[in-house]
Amino acid sequence: MSTPALEDLLRELAPQVLGALVRRFGDFSAAEDAVQEALIDAAVQWPRDGRPDNPRGWLIRVAHRRMTDHLRSEIARRRREDTEGTHIPRDHFLSPAADAPPADVDDTLTLLFLCCHPDLTPSAQIPLTLRAVGGLTTAEIASAFLVPEATMAKRVTRAKQKIKGSRFRLPTAADWPDRLGAVLHVLYLVFNEGYTSTSGESLQRVELAAEAIRLARLLNRMLPDDHEVAGLLALMLLTDARRAARTGPSGELVPMAEQDRTLWDRAEIAEGVTLVSKALTSTDRFGPYQLQAAIAAVHDEAASDEATDWPQILALYHLLAGITDNPVTTLNQAVAELKVNGPAAALATLDRAAADDRLTGHYRIDALRAHILEAAGDQEAARTHYQKAAQSTQSPPERTYLQKKATPNP
């Protein structure tokens, strides 16, 4: 029986092993099957026989062996059927040997770029990345996208088929403009899914957020002068710094205004502030990740919610709204409006966000409306909207928090 610690380790290693196999064999679907078989073997054998000194190397060797067996069976099947034109070279699966120590190469970043192939639409890129790089199951991704599992399975399968045969390599300099935007967007979404999980019993999926940060670091090392890459990494660090304070002893949600800020990770905050400060002072063209990181930095440097420089945050949201068409930005701006200009201004901003079809039925509309009405003193209307929000969210910790807010005080 696998333990939570073992499950976390296997989830962390899975994309690295998958990347190694895709680089070696080029067959995404078959490699994914081989990796899943290796993970099952590890879940059974490691608790019984002990964890190997090099877990990643063990998984790659076992998955490589499975992949080799698959290719041999496939060639034998084709020969039996007298199929002409089999062009799988012998050394494609015999060199290096299945038992040879794997090269110490992490192919996860290359795997991320493959999942963000320009031939794929964002609706295909994101779930494929969550599956291959994030390690989410098809059922979990379907829940996050609010679609049936069968629908998501077909979407992921079509995406894998569309990139079948694509070269497994990092893009050349000429390819960066077409690929980087999609990669940053998907990394941002993977981090968000880790920071606030859309499904499951836990509010956060720490290993998913950590993997997004790790990949953003690799990207920042590759492109140290790209201000949006630095901005995204800074945003992740500044947001992740609050992780320990976001939940209580029983895993319950603790909103930022009520968090114990002594639990915030000061090292992450310092690193994030340094990154975003350099990015903002090195250019006069601000991107959305830089501005979001700047907002996060203002929050993180404040000693309390009351001491936060809300006028500066509101000004940054106005800048952000001018360069991005994202209704969530307007939602967040409504919070700053409440702090600076009061409930009436906040409700007007919220109404603009609610009018956007992309947020139809989103629980945050009702949750934020309830918060604003509560601040305005309309407790009964606030409780009604808290209850509506609780019924809409897919996250049990958020539902519990909203239901508590909807319950009248005795």
Side-chain angles (χ1 to χ4, degrees):
M1 181 66 68
S2 62
T3 64
L6 176 56
E7 291 173 0
D8 289 346
L9 176 62
L10 293 178
R11 187 187 291 272
E12 175 187 339
L13 293 175
Q16 300 176 38
V17 179
L18 178 60
L21 257 69
V22 175
R23 171 172 54 86
R24 181 71 184 88
F25 296 99
D27 189 331
F28 195 110
S29 293
E32 190 175 38
D33 290 342
V35 171
Q36 289 303 312
E37 291 177 8
L39 294 174
I40 292 171
D41 287 348
V44 172
Q45 294 181 37
W46 292 2
R48 183 190 65 209
D49 303 334
R51 187 177 302 177
D53 293 335
N54 181 0
R56 178 177 172 273
W58 189 98
L59 287 168
I60 290 178
R61 282 192 295 273
V62 173
H64 193 292
R65 207 175 291 130
R66 298 279 190 175
M67 193 73 178
T68 300
D69 291 344
H70 163 76
L71 290 173
R72 283 174 171 151
S73 298
E74 182 66 13
I75 289 178
R77 181 186 66 79
R78 292 184 182 184
R79 284 174 176 165
R80 285 196 301 270
E81 295 174 356
D82 293 323
T83 303
E84 297 181 355
T86 299
H87 297 297
I88 303 179
R90 177 179 175 83
D91 66 356
H92 192 73
F93 58 90
L94 293 181
S95 177
D99 293 325
D104 188 18
V105 177
D106 185 351
D107 294 298
T108 316
L109 191 60
T110 309
L111 184 63
L112 172 63
F113 274 91
L114 180 64
C115 293
C116 295
H117 196 282
D119 287 349
L120 299 177
T121 63
S123 64
Q125 291 171 341
I126 296 167
L128 186 60
T129 304
L130 289 172
R131 172 104 175 122
V133 178
L136 272 67
T137 66
T138 304
E140 289 170 331
I141 301 169
S143 176
F145 279 76
L146 303 178
V147 299
E149 183 177 352
T151 300
M152 184 54 67
K154 290 178 182 177
R155 188 180 300 179
V156 171
T157 298
R158 284 196 299 267
K160 288 191 286 189
Q161 287 297 319
K162 199 158 189 177
I163 61 174
K164 189 174 183 179
S166 298
R167 291 186 62 188
F168 190 76
R169 61 171 176 79
L170 286 170
T172 63
D175 295 330
W176 280 108
D178 294 331
R179 305 289 283 275
L180 187 58
V183 167
L184 293 179
H185 180 61
V186 169
L187 268 183
Y188 175 72
L189 293 174
V190 170
F191 175 81
N192 284 345
E193 178 62 26
Y195 190 69
T196 303
S197 180
T198 54
S199 61
E201 295 301 317
S202 298
L203 179 69
Q204 306 175 91
R205 305 183 71 145
V206 177
E207 78 288 345
L208 199 55
E211 180 66 2
I213 291 173
R214 189 181 73 84
L215 291 172
R217 285 190 188 282
L218 291 176
L219 206 54
N220 186 54
R221 290 193 201 110
M222 287 177 57
L223 301 168
D225 297 324
D226 191 292
H227 305 307
E228 273 292 81
V229 172
L232 178 59
L233 176 57
L235 174 60
M236 290 180 179
L237 292 169
L238 291 163
T239 305
D240 188 68
R242 309 174 202 135
R243 172 165 42 86
R246 291 185 69 227
T247 53
S250 302
E252 68 273 18
L253 169 66
V254 180
M256 189 191 300
E258 301 172 20
Q259 288 174 16
D260 179 358
R261 299 189 179 210
T262 64
L263 297 177
W264 288 4
D265 189 323
R266 292 296 152 185
E268 278 194 310
I269 292 173
E271 183 181 0
V273 168
T274 299
L275 278 166
V276 71
S277 298
K278 180 181 178 182
L280 290 172
T281 56
S282 301
T283 180
D284 56 0
R285 297 183 62 185
F286 304 138
Y289 300 119
Q290 293 167 260
L291 291 175
Q292 288 179 76
I295 292 168
V298 176
H299 279 297
D300 286 9
E301 292 185 303
S304 65
D305 186 66
E306 295 76 15
T308 301
D309 189 346
W310 287 104
Q312 184 180 358
I313 287 177
L314 182 58
L316 288 167
Y317 271 122
H318 281 302
L319 286 175
L320 184 59
I323 63 171
T324 182
D325 177 28
N326 188 339
V328 175
T329 297
T330 312
L331 272 183
N332 294 331
Q333 182 181 328
V335 177
E337 288 282 3
L338 175 64
K339 298 288 187 177
V340 177
N341 297 317
L347 284 172
T349 303
L350 175 61
D351 287 339
R352 289 205 313 272
D356 194 302
D357 292 341
R358 289 171 291 180
L359 288 181
T360 299
H362 199 293
Y363 80 95
R364 281 198 64 195
I365 294 290
D366 282 302
L368 183 50
R369 192 176 298 280
H371 177 64
I372 296 170
L373 290 169
E374 185 178 31
D378 192 343
Q379 303 299 327
E380 189 61 35
R383 284 194 291 268
T384 297
H385 285 284
Y386 276 130
Q387 189 61 50
K388 288 179 65 177
Q391 293 169 353
S392 300
T393 182
Q394 301 295 310
S395 168
E398 288 183 331
R399 185 182 304 115
T400 300
Y401 171 79
L402 292 166
Q403 287 173 338
K404 183 177 179 181
K405 296 288 290 185
T407 303
N409 293 324

